[in-house]
Amino acid sequence: MTYQSHRFAIAPMMDWTDRHCRLLHRQLSRHALLYTEMVVADAVIHGDRQRLLGFDAVEHPVALQLGGSDPQKLAEAARVGADFGYDEINVNCGCPSDRVQSGTFGACLMRTPGLVAEGVAAMKRAVDVPVTVKCRIGVDEQDTEVALDAMAEAVFAAGADALWVHARKAWLEGLSPKENRDIPPLDYGRVYRLKQKYPNRFIGINGGIHSLDEAEAHLAHVDGVMLGRAAYHTPDILAEVDARFYGAPARAFDPEALIEAMAEYAGRHIAAGGKLGQVTRHMVGLFHGRKGARRFRQILSTEATRPGAGPDVIRRAYAAVEGEAGREAA
């Protein structure tokens, strides 16, 4: 499989795209490229690796996103990630949180493309899987024409296999991380121009993409498209990804099979010492816009957090959806 095959990806999202979220998304799309939350390289090197990096084999293809700025630490963390079986290692150059600013990584790295390139080169020497970068178009007062070109030139020269671009600036001064996801204006044209400059390099786009129709429109200009919040809040839309973007045979969304798969998975997670709510918190957006969706959310949100809650809560929540649909049909 070449990197060009990764036409559709689900963005790395802090506190959201954990292994339970990714397993849900994989039930809906067999081909979408999934990403972990950002994991700091130091944590990978010194922390509980199974807790931080463990994942289910069904999640493939899945990429590990690392945070950090020290090339040797990034290389060591990348080696650990590759040994765990990740299909790609990605460097975060776009997160604007206070945490990354204090550690001078994330979006701060837009100011030091040479350092990012050193990290990419070190990681390429350490692993055989693709090494990629996710960045913004610039930070603060940077000229985005200059800043993004500098980043692309540096990381591609160092051997990066792909560059995913969130088509917004990050404002490290004056905006919160949440505000940075919405307030800086989108500039898709800037990413399109970058692709024109690098016709033979993989350029993917991210930011403010709300539907598969919008995703498909972007693919007329770039190589890949990455959905974040739309995929998380309305996961049902992922059921169309394989047929629409990968030429797979169209298959109807089978909610009953999905619910049963997630209930069985939740049962295994609980048996291993986990809690039901860790799984179900990612499922509340299912059935968005359908009859019974509100009751589905209510049941998961209230019952899944109770002591001793088991996978039957998921089945009971789905039964409420079915009941609403049956009453409507009658």
Side-chain angles (χ1 to χ4, degrees):
M1 179 184 286
T2 65
Y3 200 88
Q4 292 297 131
S5 65
H6 293 314
R7 305 185 70 224
F8 186 94
I10 299 175
M13 292 176 279
M14 290 297 294
D15 300 321
W16 288 2
T17 51
D18 63 17
R19 61 187 301 174
H20 313 304
C21 174
R22 298 192 305 268
L23 191 127
L24 169 65
H25 289 167
R26 183 57 74 219
Q27 306 306 311
L28 292 154
S29 168
R30 295 172 183 163
H31 298 291
L33 175 61
L34 307 181
Y35 278 83
T36 68
E37 307 168 82
M38 180 185 71
V39 185
V40 177
D42 273 326
V44 172
I45 296 167
H46 302 294
D48 182 343
R49 294 177 179 177
Q50 187 58 45
R51 180 181 64 81
L52 291 168
L53 302 181
F55 66 97
D56 193 297
V58 76
E59 294 176 40
H60 290 294
V62 58
L64 168 64
Q65 187 182 67
L66 294 175
S69 58
D70 182 299
Q72 297 314 309
K73 289 181 178 179
L74 285 170
E76 186 175 349
R79 191 179 297 111
V80 173
D83 287 346
F84 260 78
Y86 282 96
D87 300 291
E88 170 189 328
I89 311 295
N90 177 269
V91 184
N92 183 316
C93 299
C95 179
S97 74
D98 294 339
R99 179 185 178 198
V100 303
Q101 290 189 57
S102 64
T104 61
F105 56 98
C108 301
L109 292 173
M110 290 301 299
R111 299 189 180 115
T112 56
L115 182 60
V116 179
E118 289 180 36
V120 168
M123 294 162 74
K124 289 291 290 184
R125 290 190 295 268
V127 301
D128 294 326
V129 298
V131 173
T132 67
V133 174
K134 187 170 186 287
C135 69
R136 294 282 183 133
I137 59 175
V139 294
D140 297 336
E141 300 298 339
Q142 283 185 324
D143 180 339
T144 60
E145 297 299 323
V146 175
L148 186 57
D149 273 3
M151 178 63 76
E153 181 178 358
V155 301
F156 284 139
D161 294 279
L163 181 62
W164 290 93
V165 185
H166 185 147
R168 284 187 174 96
K169 271 190 173 184
W171 286 90
L172 303 178
E173 301 290 338
L175 292 181
S176 70
K178 182 177 185 298
E179 290 169 332
N180 262 298
R181 292 194 293 266
D182 294 301
I183 292 177
L186 287 158
D187 188 354
Y188 296 132
R190 177 65 192 93
V191 187
Y192 298 167
R193 291 193 297 278
L194 184 71
K195 177 58 191 173
Q196 290 167 1
K197 185 170 182 177
Y198 291 95
N200 299 317
R201 300 287 194 172
F202 186 102
I203 306 287
I205 199 166
N206 168 232
I209 303 168
H210 299 109
S211 69
L212 299 190
D213 286 343
E214 291 179 28
E216 194 164 9
H218 283 298
L219 287 174
H221 305 279
V222 293
D223 302 297
V225 63
M226 181 180 276
L227 261 68
R229 283 170 287 170
Y232 188 85
H233 291 306
T234 54
D236 303 36
I237 67 173
L238 299 177
E240 298 179 31
V241 164
D242 293 352
R244 194 157 178 174
F245 297 101
Y246 294 94
R251 59 188 180 100
F253 173 43
D254 185 344
E256 188 171 346
L258 170 65
I259 290 297
E260 192 54 36
M262 294 307 297
E264 290 178 5
Y265 170 75
R268 295 195 300 273
H269 176 62
I270 293 166
K275 296 179 180 179
L276 179 65
Q278 293 169 324
V279 175
T280 57
R281 73 186 186 97
H282 304 295
M283 299 175 63
V284 294
L286 284 168
F287 312 115
H288 178 79
R290 303 186 189 199
K291 284 287 184 182
R294 183 168 177 270
R295 183 63 183 142
F296 180 82
R297 291 193 302 272
Q298 286 176 335
I299 292 172
L300 290 189
S301 299
T302 57
E303 296 188 23
T305 57
R306 291 175 182 167
D312 279 349
V313 171
I314 298 174
R315 298 183 179 101
R316 189 158 59 251
Y318 177 63
V321 176
E322 288 286 270
E324 289 278 356
R327 283 192 289 276
E328 184 181 51

